[in-house]
Amino acid sequence: LTPTTIKFEGGGIINMSPHRICRYAAMPENGDDVTQQQSVKEIFGAHSDTSFMTIVPVAAVSGLEVYDEDSEKWYRPELRARQMWEQEQLDRGLDHSAQFETVVDDDGVEKQLPWYARYVVAMPGELMQVVTRDEVQASIHRVVSANGGRTRHSSPVLLRCRNGLEMDAGKYLGNMEAAGPIINECNGMKMEDIYSALQK
């Protein structure tokens, strides 16, 4: 759904938080020596999101990478989630290669859920970096595909504000002298205008 399709009773738009459905094609297996040397290929380039937070349910196929500036390396949270799952299965004496787990719902009915259904990745976005005065940095991330890997499906939610809402820095920060130049520049701007400015 696009934000313009979601309206409340007064006729205005509720928010600008898109819920996307994404499909990232697998990298075909290639006998080329250069391709074989590259175990992964970037299929959606490094970027940050114009959101407060981006919430990504962990996918069945690992491909999300988040850049760790301290170690100057790419981190794979979906792969880490799978490793955590496997360790938990081993600790419980269960099959660590299982793709599903059995859960009991509130009505006492057993259901099979895929292993990744319990994990999400939460990444701060550019709007969070603005309102925290660079205390929380926007997460740089990308999507990669393994050589000969499988197609990855993802459904991220980018949490933003309601259209028309103005940033009132004085209300939240009190002392505008300590706000810094970015907050001062955004003060009084509507959220959609801040979003547009961050796209440039």
Side-chain angles (χ1 to χ4, degrees), residues 31-196:
D32 182 301
D33 287 342
V34 174
T35 306
Q36 288 294 342
Q37 291 170 6
Q38 300 171 343
S39 59
V40 296
K41 178 181 178 185
E42 185 176 87
I43 56 175
F44 192 83
H47 65 286
S48 58
D49 293 333
T50 306
S51 64
F52 284 102
M53 292 290 290
T54 298
I55 309 298
V56 184
V58 164
V61 176
S62 173
L64 176 65
E65 291 191 336
V66 179
Y67 190 67
D68 181 340
E69 292 190 23
D70 292 336
S71 65
E72 298 182 351
K73 293 181 181 175
W74 290 98
Y75 177 73
R76 299 187 77 179
E78 291 169 320
L79 184 59
R80 180 66 182 127
R82 179 64 197 189
Q83 292 167 343
M84 290 171 60
W85 160 263
E86 290 179 0
Q87 186 59 54
E88 181 181 322
Q89 294 297 96
L90 287 171
D91 293 345
R92 294 169 60 196
L94 301 172
D95 179 7
H96 74 283
S97 65
Q99 297 299 309
F100 294 88
E101 70 175 317
T102 302
V103 298
V104 180
D105 69 14
D106 292 340
D107 296 323
V109 178
E110 286 190 355
K111 296 187 177 186
Q112 293 284 314
L113 291 180
W115 72 267
Y116 51 87
R118 64 163 77 177
Y119 301 100
V120 297
V121 178
M123 300 182 293
E126 295 164 357
L127 294 172
M128 181 69 79
Q129 184 169 336
V130 168
V131 299
T132 63
R133 297 176 283 178
D134 292 332
E135 288 296 319
V136 177
Q137 296 289 309
S139 176
I140 306 296
H141 55 285
R142 66 182 183 179
V143 177
V144 298
S145 175
N147 187 20
R150 296 179 298 157
T151 295
R152 178 178 179 271
H153 295 91
S154 181
S155 57
V157 178
L158 286 77
L159 299 177
R160 298 180 181 143
C161 280
R162 186 172 61 242
N163 270 354
L165 187 67
E166 290 184 6
M167 178 175 278
D168 185 350
K171 178 179 178 181
Y172 299 106
L173 300 176
N175 181 7
M176 286 301 293
E177 291 178 11
I182 293 175
I183 294 289
N184 279 307
E185 186 176 337
C186 294
N187 192 34
M189 288 177 70
K190 292 183 177 179
M191 283 298 157
E192 60 266 33
D193 295 331
I194 295 172
Y195 172 85
S196 295

